[in-house]
Amino acid sequence: MSKRPVQPQQPAGLIDSIQSEVAGEASPLLEFLINNARPIVACVLLFIIAIVGFGAYSHYSGKANKEAQDEFGRLAIIQDPQKRLAALEAYLSKAPEATRPAALAALAQTAFAAEQPQKAYDAWAEIAKLNPDLRVPAAHGMARALEEQGKSKEALAVYEGIVNGLPKPETLSVNSRIVWLAESVGDYKRAVVAGDAILALPDLDPADAKVWLLKVAELKRKAAQPQ
């Protein structure tokens, strides 16, 4: 009958020594966990809540934006300009940034239809601040609103405030308005300067150039007359 191999016996003193060392190293960690159990659990819970909260906020924001866009779409079918204007003003008080420029443009156009040009001016002015790339259409809108209020000189100032900073191809429409507005207020010299700027455009259509040559010549005759 075979005998089981005898397992080597560890000295009792060595085992006690190892256990003592392990217990001694682990006790500060255990003591820290025990003494700080509540703060640790609270931190973990706060971390979990933050993750869940961020996910809920993202979901809600996307949902809110979608609802805001749907609401904006419904406003466009309101036929009465006064009612549509009031609805757009209420919408803009809570509109998300994604739809704000479009809502402002809709408000500006509706304000013209509702014969409230000052509100149109304010909307176009805000559009220009939100997006400098839209400064040319915004200037046209602001100037039109001023003209409808009989403020041709102020409208002229709006155009002259942006024309110098524009690329040459974009100055045609602005200088055209400067010519007509300056002429309307009797400032023919100003109109001539804008007309000459148009004629200096390298890509000006030949047919348009002939028209502007005649117009500038007429303005120069008016400018030469005693006031």
Side-chain angles (χ1 to χ4, degrees), residues 76-145:
I77 64 175
I78 300 175
Q79 296 299 313
D80 184 87
Q82 298 289 352
K83 291 181 180 179
R84 187 164 69 250
L85 181 61
L88 283 165
E89 288 177 318
Y91 173 81
L92 277 165
S93 66
K94 58 183 178 181
E97 292 302 316
T99 61
R100 190 166 186 81
L104 283 167
L107 187 146
Q109 296 301 326
T110 302
F112 283 129
E115 298 182 352
Q116 296 195 42
Q118 184 58 48
K119 289 187 176 182
Y121 176 90
D122 294 339
W124 281 118
E126 186 173 347
I127 289 171
K129 290 179 181 178
L130 286 175
N131 190 345
D133 291 337
L134 297 177
R135 63 191 183 280
V136 174
H140 284 299
M142 292 164 65
R144 177 188 167 191

Side-chain angles (χ1 to χ4, degrees), residues 9 13 53 61 63 86 106 112 119 127 131 167 177 180-181 186 190 200 202 205 218:
Q9 299 293 322
S61 297
K63 183 179 179 181
F112 283 129
K119 289 187 176 182
I127 289 171
N131 190 345
R177 292 303 303 158
W180 302 121
L181 283 169
R190 221 169 182 182
D205 185 87
E218 177 192 349

Side-chain angles (χ1 to χ4, degrees), residues 8 32 36 168 224:
F32 173 80
N36 297 278
K168 282 191 174 182

